[in-house]
Amino acid sequence: MITLGVPSKGRLMEKTFQWFADRGIEMRRTGSDRDYGAEIADLPVELRLLAAGEIPRELAAGRIHLGVTGSDLVQERIPAWDQAVEVVAEMGFGHADLIIAVPAWWVDVTSLDDLDAVAADFRKLHGHRLRIATKYHRLVRDFLRDKGVADYRLVDSQGATEGTVAHGTAEAIADITSTGETLRANHLAILGDGLIHRSEATLFRSRTAPWGDAERASLAAISARLDG
């Protein structure tokens, strides 16, 4: 038997259940909303309801064979993620963009080159590096390095990242957005070339979980439904 981890609450759970149902795999809860019990009726699969943010860790550790979570979370939380997991299917929902945004009143800052120039001037003027608030340190750092942006530092934000500029704890942000409405409400503008990652809900397979004959047979049974 293999283990499949899916999100435990909210629209992401509902859409995941529906995505599998559309492919002939019925998932159902077996208890109350608090006990996280769930099952798949007619396949040799143990279903686990987990927080979406926990699923990358469980996949990387090999404690679950398959998992549904956002591609942004996998790429942020698993070093060398493509060596630890592989994509089985992009699921077509849960879309969100990880972007870099700056204050809307920085009218001359519309690109990463502009941001790099501002960051250099900021350090000369203030004696410390321009601060970018984010929850996505690995993805943002790698992106900015590849784009040649320097003289900044990342500050951790686990709350409302869009509010950090107004609160004076950062000069720019890197965060997930779906519609951009919250950014506009906080007077922030996305850089024209500031798209870091386009995320969506994705079914991943762990490369580190045990894959014996029985587990491969279970995976084949799931794949047959998905392909059908």
Side-chain angles (χ1 to χ4, degrees):
M1 180 177 288
I2 62 175
T3 304
L4 167 60
V6 301
S8 60
K9 61 181 63 176
R11 289 180 58 81
L12 196 55
M13 183 189 75
E14 294 170 3
K15 287 180 175 289
T16 298
F17 276 36
Q18 186 60 55
W19 187 88
F20 279 97
D22 291 343
R23 289 155 181 81
I25 299 175
E26 182 185 354
M27 298 176 170
R28 56 176 178 250
R29 302 200 67 149
T30 58
S32 71
D33 290 343
R34 295 186 177 183
D35 66 10
Y36 299 107
E39 65 180 9
I40 296 178
D42 57 349
L43 283 173
V45 178
E46 177 188 351
L47 187 60
R48 291 186 189 172
L49 300 183
L50 301 166
E54 295 175 342
I55 291 174
R57 179 192 66 205
E58 298 301 291
L59 284 166
R63 289 189 286 265
I64 59 176
H65 297 82
L66 301 169
V68 174
T69 190
S71 56
D72 59 313
L73 295 176
V74 163
Q75 294 191 27
E76 172 62 23
R77 299 186 181 189
I78 305 178
W81 68 273
D82 54 346
Q83 297 176 30
V85 301
E86 68 173 338
V87 174
V88 176
E90 294 173 337
M91 302 174 75
F93 60 87
H95 293 100
D97 293 340
L98 176 59
I99 52 81
I100 295 179
V102 300
W105 56 88
W106 288 10
V107 293
D108 294 328
V109 181
T110 61
S111 69
L112 291 168
D113 285 343
D114 296 334
L115 181 65
D116 188 42
V118 165
D121 291 342
F122 185 93
R123 188 175 187 185
K124 291 176 184 177
L125 182 62
H126 297 281
H128 63 86
R129 291 179 176 178
L130 181 145
R131 297 165 298 176
I132 302 175
T134 190
K135 304 176 182 71
Y136 296 88
H137 291 247
R138 177 178 289 112
L139 282 170
V140 175
R141 183 174 58 247
D142 291 350
F143 176 78
L144 291 177
R145 182 192 63 235
D146 292 345
K147 299 297 183 181
V149 178
D151 279 333
Y152 70 91
R153 68 184 177 96
L154 299 181
V155 294
D156 192 49
S157 171
Q158 295 303 322
T161 303
E162 300 92 343
T164 56
V165 173
H167 296 155
T169 57
E171 286 71 49
I173 72 163
D175 201 17
I176 285 286
T177 183
S178 297
T179 65
E181 291 182 8
T182 304
L183 295 173
R184 289 188 289 271
N186 285 275
H187 310 291
L188 297 169
I190 301 172
L191 296 181
D193 53 356
L195 175 63
I196 299 171
H197 176 69
R198 202 176 290 277
S199 181
E200 70 176 291
T202 303
L203 175 61
F204 292 96
R205 182 182 77 86
S206 171
R207 295 183 186 275
T208 58
W211 288 101
D213 291 343
E215 289 82 8
R216 293 183 185 281
S218 295
L219 178 61
I222 293 176
S223 298
R225 298 279 187 93
L226 297 181
D227 294 341

